[in-house]
Amino acid sequence: MSHSSFLATVRAWELTRAREHMPPAASPAGARKLLELGAGTGQQALLLRDMGYDVTAIDLPSSHYFRERVFPVTDYDGHHIPCPSRSFDIVFSSNVLEHVRNIDQILGETRRVMADDGIAIHLLPTPSCRLWSIPAHYLWLIRRAWAAARPKGRRHLPDAAPSTQPRMPATAREWAGTLFPLRHGERGVTLTEPYFYSGRWWKRTFERNGFRIEELHGNGLFYTMANSATHSLSIETRMRLSRLFGSACNVFVLRKTGST
């Protein structure tokens, strides 16, 4: 299984956990309107549309997944959501908000476009995911070195599809990111990121921007940011590991507080 295939499998599975909190797609007024923030390839937006929701998907034009889109994704500037106020019943994001530097601006925008009785569901990495990603990075590095050392014609990672020899880092930052695990998101550094992924930090951030947490729980799946065992652990195994090592993501279910 390639990394992209693995990621698609994980995101589809995680969507089932988020779907548990969404109102039915059909309403007396028609299909419920849903906004996906940071839609990436649009895979989850496509699945949600197939469930019956009226889906609008947005992302930055600089997204790594720009050329892999499978659903119409609207490019936006990362500051102002190009949609009318109170126009969505549901706002959804998956592993996105930790990458948003202007978090107050974007949360303010999502609050603006949500209906007053709307719901927001955000999947975000957990502190345990960040911590386990540090040793997993070095497992990934060993696998990468192994691939580079293989004889020509056999330069591929164990359990992975054949590929070319790993590209050597070309810049000081690329070397740093290869030899040491860098931060994943936009706040703190590698060792302080777990705090910025904590429920406490997000609770304060959401409340500051006019939301209350209605429910919070793990996604029930273990994985790391290093992708060191992408090809060798099944979803079922990752579910069992989450009971020992913690979930990779938290599912935050939010409602608006006060009036808009």
Side-chain angles (χ1 to χ4, degrees), residues 99-114:
H99 298 292
V100 176
R101 185 173 300 174
N102 57 331
I103 188 65
D104 290 341
Q105 167 78 20
I106 290 302
L107 288 177
E109 278 290 280
T110 62
R111 191 176 190 278
R112 177 183 66 79
V113 301
M114 275 177 60

Side-chain angles (χ1 to χ4, degrees), residues 9 82 100 102 106 114 132 146 150 155 165 187 217 250:
T9 300
V100 176
N102 57 331
I106 290 302
M114 275 177 60
W132 283 114
W146 170 262
R150 298 277 284 182
R155 287 170 173 165
Q165 183 180 19
R187 284 165 280 277
H217 61 80
N250 277 324

Side-chain angles (χ1 to χ4, degrees), residues 1 11 27 52 73 93 96 116-117 122 137 155 161 164 171 198 205-206 214 232 245:
M1 183 187 296
R11 295 295 179 250
S27 74
V73 177
S93 76
V96 170
D116 290 340
D117 60 349
H122 300 293
H137 174 88
R155 287 170 173 165
T164 58
T171 65
S198 67
T205 301
F206 289 137
E214 189 168 84
S232 55
F245 304 123

